[in-house]
Amino acid sequence: MNAERRTQIANLLASDVIWSAYALADLQPEMAPYCRWFVHENENGRGVALLYSGLAPPVLFMHGDPAALDAAIDGAELPETVYLSIQEAHEPVIARRYRCVERRPMWRMALHETAFTAEAQQHRAVHNRSDVLQRSSVLDATWRLRRLTAADAVQVEKLFAHDGPFTPDAFAPRQIESGVFYGVEDPAGELIAVGGTHVVDFSTRIAAIGNMYTRPDLRGRGAGRGVLRAIITTLKASGVETIVLNVDQRNDAAQRLYEQFGFVVHCPFIEGIATAFV
């Protein structure tokens, strides 16, 4: 993608940075192999769609005026199955091309800067030192909080295999190496809680937190809280200013946790699987 087109897309997305945070981070050059962009703008409206193939099924994101989006993807070769990340106003655009087989009402939340001030002050000096973060997270004394590396990807997937409602379904091992991931280990060295970034762009200071999961039998004991605090502290220490996340509207426990850290609801949106009409 040339610089002019990248600037055009960035300007379109900038009208709602929090909603478009994932897409803005996907404008990084290293993400180009996974991204196909569709843009339409005129005097009546502007819209940009992104087909992200770095996950399976590919994610279809939309931002802007529905009529402009309809024109942007008109005639485009789209996959038979996509994972939607759209606002309710975009559903008619999808309905002309796909049948929604799973519709998941979600909240996009964003970290309110002043709300995390107290947390940030407590950890300002420690940055990503997991030993200090561990002591300040009120974890079980036998647990260990540490930053994960690419070598931990197999353990992360093993933890997710415990399954249960709201188990992360958008994890890719490369996210660990390119982002910020933390985990909590039990005395045997097994991961019992993890979390990290779906995508982060340190140049534009944008990050999206996700993959938050605690083993079902150990929930409510502070592991997830310790992981989340470590992720936010590290992102903030690295200069990230816009931090967003997604949460299922039915997941009250997760939403309460995020609100305690200063996340506020920005907008509702829709996730889910859609298949093309035959």
Side-chain angles (χ1 to χ4, degrees):
M1 183 192 305
N2 61 41
E4 182 179 354
R5 180 164 173 81
R6 183 180 293 109
T7 299
Q8 176 196 23
I9 294 171
N11 289 339
L12 290 171
L13 296 173
S15 62
D16 189 341
V17 170
I18 294 174
W19 167 242
S20 301
Y22 281 78
L24 283 163
D26 285 337
L27 282 170
Q28 297 174 90
E30 58 266 33
M31 304 300 286
Y34 307 109
C35 297
R36 287 174 57 200
W37 299 91
F38 308 91
V39 177
H40 182 84
E41 57 178 327
N42 57 29
E43 64 279 3
N44 298 319
R46 307 189 303 170
V48 54
L50 166 63
L51 184 67
Y52 176 78
S53 61
L55 296 168
V59 179
L60 181 60
F61 163 84
M62 291 185 168
H63 169 70
D65 177 71
L69 286 163
D70 204 28
I73 63 174
D74 187 41
E77 292 186 10
L78 297 174
E80 181 178 340
T81 302
V82 294
Y83 190 88
L84 302 174
S85 181
I86 62 172
Q87 295 181 321
E88 291 182 355
H90 304 142
E91 289 191 282
V93 181
I94 295 297
R96 284 188 278 276
R97 298 166 173 84
Y98 287 94
R99 178 175 64 90
C100 192
V101 298
E102 178 191 6
R103 185 182 186 277
R104 197 182 298 176
M106 306 287 291
W107 297 119
R108 169 62 53 81
M109 304 184 76
L111 184 66
H112 192 280
E113 175 61 34
T114 57
F116 190 66
T117 300
E119 292 280 349
Q121 287 174 345
Q122 293 176 21
H123 303 282
R124 191 180 304 279
V126 303
H127 293 245
N128 64 347
R129 287 176 52 196
S130 60
D131 57 331
V132 182
L133 286 169
Q134 179 181 352
R135 292 198 297 271
S136 62
S137 296
V138 198
L139 295 174
D140 185 298
T142 64
W143 295 348
R144 175 180 174 234
L145 172 68
R146 66 175 177 87
R147 186 161 179 176
L148 303 184
T149 69
D152 295 303
V154 172
Q155 271 218 68
V156 172
E157 292 173 331
K158 179 181 176 181
L159 177 61
F160 290 162
H162 285 276
D163 208 5
F166 315 119
T167 299
D169 57 3
F171 171 71
R174 67 176 179 278
Q175 294 170 348
I176 299 179
E177 190 168 2
S178 63
V180 175
F181 268 73
Y182 280 88
V184 173
E185 294 177 331
D186 67 13
E190 293 288 325
L191 284 176
I192 61 171
V194 298
T197 50
H198 282 303
V199 65
V200 57
D201 183 352
F202 293 107
S203 63
T204 58
R205 302 181 178 184
I206 291 174
I209 292 176
N211 297 302
M212 293 289 300
Y213 183 83
T214 301
R215 208 173 74 191
D217 61 318
L218 294 173
R219 290 175 183 169
R221 296 175 57 182
R225 180 181 298 275
V227 166
L228 181 60
R229 182 181 292 118
I231 297 167
I232 298 172
T233 300
T234 301
L235 290 172
K236 287 299 211 178
S238 301
V240 175
E241 297 176 347
T242 301
I243 302 176
V244 306
L245 55 79
N246 301 330
V247 61
D248 193 299
Q249 292 184 18
R250 300 163 296 179
N251 193 349
D252 294 332
Q255 186 175 342
R256 285 195 300 270
L257 173 63
Y258 300 143
E259 288 172 342
Q260 290 167 9
F261 275 82
F263 285 89
V264 296
V265 171
H266 177 69
C267 67
F269 71 104
I270 305 300
E271 282 189 356
I273 303 291
T275 57
F277 295 120
V278 178

